[in-house]
Amino acid sequence: MQEDKIYEYAVIRLVPKVEREEFFNIGLVMFSKREKFIKVGFYLCPDKFKLMRSKLDYEDIIQNLESFQKIANGDKDGGPIAQLEIPERFRWLTAVRSSVVQTSRPHPGKSKDLDKTFEKLFEELIL
């Protein structure tokens, strides 16, 4: 029988007007120290984005989210943060910030299959 794996996840949020503290979920970051697992996924619906009536640029937000992925993946062009160990990358990605792209507090969980759990959480919380 396969053993449960401990993980943490945080929801990536778009906060169009930080001062109003309104947001909607646009992505997910998930991490397991023991399994050396980190994954970021995002979906920013263009139609929903247009409804915000914000001065934000859609492509700028997508580039920001792609940077999250590069850091999580440890890509060379993800900058110095991407070269850190997985736990440090997760902590950096989920650090409290007052920008238009933020994350929730990390939440713990257990799973036998981290990829399947990621997909399930992504579907429930983002799509």
Side-chain angles (χ1 to χ4, degrees):
M1 189 163 113
Q2 196 174 25
E3 185 179 313
D4 280 337
K5 299 164 177 86
I6 304 285
Y7 68 88
E8 293 179 65
Y9 76 93
V11 176
I12 302 169
R13 301 168 169 166
L14 181 62
V15 186
K17 295 181 181 178
V18 176
E19 66 279 6
R20 291 179 62 170
E21 297 183 5
E22 298 172 341
F23 65 86
F24 61 96
N25 298 342
I26 59 172
L28 187 70
V29 56
M30 187 171 151
F31 142 82
S32 173
K33 182 177 179 179
R34 177 175 273 167
E35 301 301 316
K36 296 182 178 169
F37 175 94
I38 189 167
K39 186 173 185 176
V40 169
F42 64 88
Y43 175 69
L44 180 55
C45 175
D47 295 330
K48 193 172 186 178
F49 185 84
K50 289 176 192 172
L51 294 174
M52 292 185 328
R53 297 183 186 258
S54 171
K55 294 179 182 177
L56 297 175
D57 181 72
Y58 182 84
E59 291 304 319
D60 287 346
I61 301 301
I62 294 297
Q63 285 180 347
N64 196 315
L65 294 167
E66 288 170 347
S67 293
F68 264 56
Q69 276 188 323
K70 288 176 184 177
I71 289 166
N73 295 338
D75 290 350
K76 289 179 184 176
D77 55 343
I81 303 298
Q83 304 314 305
L84 297 173
E85 296 294 320
I86 290 172
E88 287 82 9
R89 283 185 262 155
F90 180 75
R91 296 291 169 234
W92 189 89
L93 289 169
T94 59
V96 175
R97 39 178 71 87
S98 60
S99 63
V100 296
V101 177
Q102 302 178 12
T103 60
S104 69
R105 289 189 210 149
H107 306 282
K110 289 197 277 184
S111 170
K112 295 195 185 313
D113 185 324
L114 294 172
D115 283 311
K116 282 184 182 177
T117 299
F118 182 93
E119 296 305 322
K120 180 179 183 242
L121 288 169
F122 192 86
E123 188 173 313
E124 289 175 2
L125 300 171
I126 311 309
L127 298 181

